[in-house]
Amino acid sequence: MTEDLLRVDDVAIDFRVHDTTVRAVDGISFRIRPGSTVALVGESGSGKSVVSQAIMGILPKAGLISQGSIRFADPKIRGASTTGNVIDIAALDPHGDAMRGLRGSRISIVFQEPMTSLSPLHTVGDQVGESLRLHGNLSAKELDERVEDMLARVGFPDPRKAMRTFPFELSGGLRQRAVIAMALVCRPALVIADEPTTALDVTIQAQILKLLHDLQQSLGMAVLLITHDLGVVANMAEEVVVMYRGRIMESGTRDELLRRPQHPYLRALLRAVPRFDMKPDERLTPLREIKPETGHLLAAHDPWPEGADAKGPLLAVRHVTKTFTTRKGGFFGASSENRVLAVDDVSFDLRRGECLGLVGESGCGKTTMSKIVLRALMPDSGEVLFNDRGQVRDVHQMSPDDLFAFRRRIQFIFQDPYSSLNPRMTVFDIVAEPLVIHGIGDVAYRAEMVRELLKLVGLDPRWASRYPHSFSGGQRQRIGIARALALKPEILLCDEPVSALDVSIQAQILNLLKDLKQKLGLTYLFVSHNLAVVDYIADRIAVMCRGRLVELAPRELLFKRPVHPYTRALLAAVPDPDPDRRLDLTALMEGRASRPDAWPLPFTLDGTAHAELIELGGGHKVRARAGARPEDILSRVAA
């Protein structure tokens, strides 16, 4: 036991649900050595987070450790309940002094969603310093110095100013850094990182992973990393424990499991991860495949008029600009304005039958652009032209009646499937609602259409009377897709439709979208921050940064020859589940990848230079200084 910091032995965790008992964790065992990183891997519902809650002593009231031990050894602990410096956490009262002494001080946790784990009413400095006030005996000055030092360690550019800010004033990456600072400020021996990067962009994710690794080295702490992302595992973990339905399927070192996986479940997880080296006709292999069934109602599509394609692309975005103004109130009615240029002179075409991927970090303008296309937002300037079967129409000049008809032709798939579904409506009512709003069909037609739509997305029509909370995240996303297809649209705007899903469920949804595109002749504008996902589903890719389109190319050209420094940084930040392809964190330019002033010539701009999209050949365009020659741009990139 002396070489193990934490040893979980034959632990089972039960939940009391009404008059029954559900076993969420069934006899698992693993260890964590001092200073090491162990990854706990599996799908949602496999029991990973329940294990972390048991270690922290924060199981819900209905949860109970029914067997086994969780032994924690720490040289700083004295007077433990067992021999030496070893404490059995499973035997402690979760609300007792002994557990409270461990929690936050010697064992701490970084939660998945930083905004929900931070209080909106307290400053960052107060929240980071709370553990020190509870577990330390420091003066106010010493406490502030420790908090400021920890905020500096986790990468806040101005730690003293950050102490006085509130969480809503921070970006997603800085909020996650604040949560990490809260977990580390007492210098714990073990940190549990529960999906610490799931909600973050790939570049921010890579920076957080590097931060955790650097802090682990400097503070000498051990990390229990809970994740479903095998790319993160390949870059962070030394040992891996794979869970499925509360049991351990396989465990061992990172290299053993990722290079030579033995259990079918782990091999299936690896086949479900999108990779850059996939063949053109290769498909992801989810654990449970969805087979869409097309009925006669959905199969009936009006043929596209001959010669209509010659009038232009299905959707043409021309020189669109959008600015938002925020107002901050002051004393005695005084206020200040802040103008944010969200979309800056963006132009692109969406051709009929293709999938155009729109990629970039959060805040780059992707979602704003998709809302402008849908006319949920009006641009300051520019136009969106829609090829209505040979008649080109300006979306933003349509009358209310024309706009109502246009909305039947273009539909939206939202990022969060749960918040986009009304919890008080049944699945039948949710899917049929577009038909009711647009006055399509009678009761019998709508009932048959809902049955067809549910079969199309791989759901049992008998579930139509259930409510959204009865379904998993992947099933809820399929309900959202069925609703979007109810009006038989020509264009689907997919806004991060798989970013919140496990890799196996993500593979299901991506395969389903590819199949639906082929079966129904759909056109996609696919918004994402993950280039590996976009590489799998898109035909062409447009890269956005700071509201500008910086590179546009066919998929195969963009990944074979990325030109813009921001595109190259995005590619370098995608974790690969291959131990031989570790993340190149230096390619992220230390967090400066999205700063135009940090880009090299001819991509950087000063106050006088003008930029434009320059054609490099084969439909590949890159934003650079006006007048830059394509051969010069390519030679600089090659050098």
Side-chain angles (χ1 to χ4, degrees):
M1 180 66 200
T2 55
E3 73 275 10
D4 294 335
L5 177 67
L6 186 87
R7 181 179 285 275
V8 176
D9 279 323
D10 193 31
V11 165
I13 301 173
D14 296 334
F15 281 82
R16 296 181 297 275
V17 182
H18 303 299
D19 296 330
T20 62
T21 299
V22 177
R23 177 147 291 188
V25 174
D26 190 6
I28 69 166
S29 301
F30 64 90
R31 67 172 187 176
I32 302 174
R33 292 175 295 177
S36 67
T37 301
V38 175
L40 201 56
V41 180
E43 296 177 283
S44 294
S46 62
K48 309 186 302 295
S49 294
V50 174
V51 172
S52 71
Q53 292 170 352
I55 295 172
M56 291 292 296
I58 55 174
L59 279 172
K61 289 183 179 179
L64 173 69
I65 301 176
S66 56
Q67 73 177 43
S69 62
I70 303 174
R71 296 182 175 272
F72 179 66
D74 188 347
K76 292 191 177 183
I77 299 175
R78 292 293 180 264
S81 60
T82 57
T83 58
N85 62 335
V86 180
I87 286 182
D88 184 0
I89 293 174
L92 294 179
D93 178 3
H95 308 291
D97 291 340
M99 191 66 234
R100 282 199 294 265
L102 286 177
R103 190 187 300 123
S105 174
R106 305 308 302 151
I107 307 176
S108 59
I109 188 166
V110 178
F111 291 101
Q112 176 175 356
E113 179 49 62
M115 198 58 192
T116 56
S117 56
L118 292 171
S119 168
L121 303 178
H122 297 85
T123 64
V124 169
D126 286 342
Q127 296 185 67
V128 173
E130 184 178 12
S131 291
L132 285 174
R133 285 190 292 272
L134 292 173
H135 297 287
N137 187 20
L138 302 175
S139 66
K141 181 180 178 182
E142 290 173 328
L143 189 144
D144 286 346
E145 289 175 351
R146 286 277 296 272
V147 171
E148 187 176 339
D149 173 69
M150 183 52 64
L151 291 175
R153 282 175 177 266
V154 298
F156 273 84
D158 189 343
R160 183 164 297 180
K161 180 182 177 183
M163 292 176 64
R164 301 188 299 272
T165 60
F166 290 88
F168 63 83
E169 298 179 273
L170 303 176
S171 66
L174 285 178
R175 283 198 291 262
Q176 191 62 282
R177 290 171 189 263
V179 172
I180 292 172
M182 288 172 58
L184 303 187
V185 71
C186 288
R187 309 291 177 88
L190 173 64
V191 172
I192 301 171
D194 188 1
E195 302 276 10
T197 61
T198 296
L200 302 177
D201 299 330
V202 285
T203 50
I204 306 300
Q205 171 181 269
Q207 293 169 31
I208 295 297
L209 294 179
K210 184 177 186 296
L211 171 65
L212 283 173
H213 181 268
D214 293 344
L215 290 172
Q216 181 182 14
Q217 299 300 312
S218 62
L219 301 178
M221 62 187 184
V223 176
L224 176 60
L225 179 64
I226 297 175
T227 183
H228 63 256
D229 191 334
L230 293 170
V232 171
V233 171
N235 284 274
M236 291 291 291
E238 298 159 15
E239 297 181 30
V240 183
V241 179
V242 182
M243 288 189 67
Y244 178 64
R245 293 191 175 180
R247 297 182 178 181
I248 292 178
M249 300 291 104
E250 191 169 358
S251 63
T253 66
R254 174 194 62 201
D255 290 351
E256 288 174 347
L257 265 66
L258 295 184
R259 288 196 174 102
R260 294 176 296 277
Q262 301 298 315
H263 197 277
Y265 177 68
L266 179 56
R267 291 201 295 265
L269 281 181
L270 288 167
R271 289 195 298 269
V273 180
R275 305 180 309 277
F276 287 124
D277 58 354
M278 295 181 70
K279 299 175 182 177
D281 57 345
E282 186 178 356
R283 283 173 65 91
L284 297 174
T285 308
L287 295 175
R288 293 164 290 277
E289 186 67 77
I290 301 171
K291 296 182 179 179
E293 300 178 20
T294 306
H296 71 282
L297 294 179
L298 287 167
H301 270 75
D302 296 332
W304 192 259
E306 187 175 348
D309 287 324
K311 299 291 185 179
L314 184 58
L315 203 70
V317 175
R318 296 288 180 264
H319 306 292
V320 167
T321 298
K322 178 65 178 178
T323 303
F324 291 102
T325 302
T326 59
R327 291 180 174 85
K328 190 171 185 179
F331 293 107
F332 308 110
S335 63
S336 59
E337 289 189 353
N338 181 35
R339 295 176 63 82
V340 178
L341 187 59
V343 177
D344 184 8
D345 193 27
V346 170
S347 300
F348 62 83
D349 292 338
L350 182 62
R351 303 163 187 162
R352 186 167 66 92
E354 78 164 348
C355 176
L356 176 66
L358 195 60
V359 300
E361 294 174 299
S362 293
C364 72
K366 308 185 303 293
T367 300
T368 300
M369 191 65 249
S370 64
K371 289 180 178 179
I372 289 173
V373 168
L374 191 62
R375 200 178 140 174
L377 288 174
M378 294 292 288
D380 300 335
S381 61
E383 56 187 7
V384 178
L385 304 176
F386 176 61
N387 185 350
D388 187 5
R389 296 178 173 266
Q391 182 181 358
V392 179
R393 312 179 69 184
D394 189 339
V395 172
H396 294 98
Q397 300 298 323
M398 289 180 177
S399 66
D401 290 342
D402 290 340
L403 180 62
F404 188 74
F406 170 70
R407 293 271 168 79
R408 290 184 57 177
R409 315 286 288 279
I410 183 167
Q411 288 288 299
F412 209 94
I413 299 175
F414 296 93
Q415 177 176 358
D416 185 349
Y418 192 71
S419 62
S420 63
L421 301 177
N422 190 330
R424 294 181 176 87
M425 294 174 66
T426 65
V427 169
F428 181 92
D429 292 334
I430 289 170
V431 176
E433 187 178 26
L435 301 173
V436 174
I437 290 172
H438 287 267
I440 298 174
D442 54 15
V443 174
Y445 173 89
R446 292 168 189 167
E448 186 176 1
M449 177 62 88
V450 169
R451 285 195 296 270
E452 282 197 19
L453 287 165
L454 293 179
K455 287 182 180 179
L456 183 68
V457 297
L459 293 175
D460 193 328
R462 292 175 296 179
W463 298 347
S465 60
R466 296 184 183 179
Y467 290 86
H469 66 81
S470 304
F471 296 89
S472 67
Q475 289 172 330
R476 285 196 288 261
Q477 191 61 285
R478 285 187 260 161
I479 295 169
I481 294 172
R483 177 178 60 184
L485 295 174
L487 298 174
K488 298 197 285 188
E490 296 177 15
I491 302 174
L492 283 185
L493 303 181
C494 309
D495 187 11
E496 302 271 15
V498 296
S499 64
L501 304 177
D502 295 336
V503 288
S504 58
I505 307 302
Q506 173 182 274
Q508 274 187 354
I509 300 300
L510 290 175
N511 283 349
L512 174 64
L513 289 173
K514 290 190 79 166
D515 292 339
L516 293 177
K517 178 173 173 286
Q518 182 178 6
K519 284 178 175 289
L520 303 180
L522 296 170
T523 302
Y524 294 156
L525 180 62
F526 193 95
V527 175
S528 179
H529 64 255
N530 191 331
L531 274 168
V533 168
V534 174
D535 175 41
Y536 179 67
I537 196 168
D539 301 301
R540 291 188 303 137
I541 299 174
V543 182
M544 286 189 71
C545 179
R546 299 285 181 97
R548 302 180 180 96
L549 201 62
V550 297
E551 193 159 3
L552 175 66
R555 178 191 59 82
E556 61 277 5
L557 275 181
L558 188 78
F559 293 104
K560 181 180 179 181
R561 189 183 61 184
V563 173
H564 199 278
Y566 179 69
T567 307
R568 297 162 74 90
L570 282 182
L571 283 166
V574 178
D576 192 301
D578 185 346
D580 297 325
R581 299 180 183 178
R582 308 289 293 276
L583 282 178
D584 182 8
L585 296 171
T586 59
L588 298 177
M589 303 161 62
E590 297 299 326
R592 296 180 294 121
S594 59
R595 285 175 44 192
D597 60 343
W599 297 337
L601 288 171
F603 307 105
T604 188
L605 301 175
D606 55 30
T608 59
H610 174 67
E612 62 183 12
L613 283 175
I614 296 175
E615 176 69 50
L616 302 179
H620 192 165
K621 301 178 181 179
V622 67
R623 186 180 180 91
R625 291 193 178 212
R629 298 190 304 170
E631 55 270 25
D632 293 338
I633 295 173
L634 294 174
S635 63
R636 284 177 181 269
V637 172

